[in-house]
Amino acid sequence: MTAFDLYGMESSDIKMAKAVIEDALGITFTPKESAYHGEYYQWGDRSTESLMLKMNADPIDDEPAEPDFPSFHILLYVDGSERHEEIGRAI
């Protein structure tokens, strides 16, 4: 079953989080930037499975991008994955 998951990390060191996730999942994130997300990391194809790692801060007003999770400084979105349970265990 395809799933869409959101994970949060209390750490504010996104480069360390990136390295840990890449190592755990055997992937390599690509750095990206947009007006909507700010600077972030992407892996995969948005039309299939993809992961996005970003800070939990709206680049316009610096409020949490996910206001329901203000204590998490880093967010990992797992979109369209059929191996979401495997990813959850790995990280």
Side-chain angles (χ1 to χ4, degrees), residues 20-91:
V20 168
I21 294 167
E22 287 177 330
D23 187 53
L25 300 178
I27 65 171
T28 302
F29 282 109
T30 301
K32 303 276 187 172
E33 187 172 345
S34 78
Y36 184 75
H37 295 294
E39 294 180 14
Y40 66 100
Y41 296 98
Q42 182 76 36
W43 175 85
D45 181 353
R46 289 183 181 245
S47 66
T48 58
E49 179 183 53
S50 68
L51 281 68
M52 179 174 57
L53 183 67
K54 65 178 256 177
M55 297 301 294
N56 188 14
D58 185 297
I60 296 171
D61 61 14
D62 206 34
E63 292 293 318
E66 293 287 345
D68 291 340
F69 305 102
S71 65
F72 296 121
H73 299 287
I74 299 172
L75 302 170
L76 175 65
Y77 295 87
V78 178
D79 294 338
S81 178
E82 297 203 9
R83 59 186 187 122
H84 59 98
E85 291 177 2
E86 174 188 334
I87 291 171
R89 283 190 302 273
I91 59 169

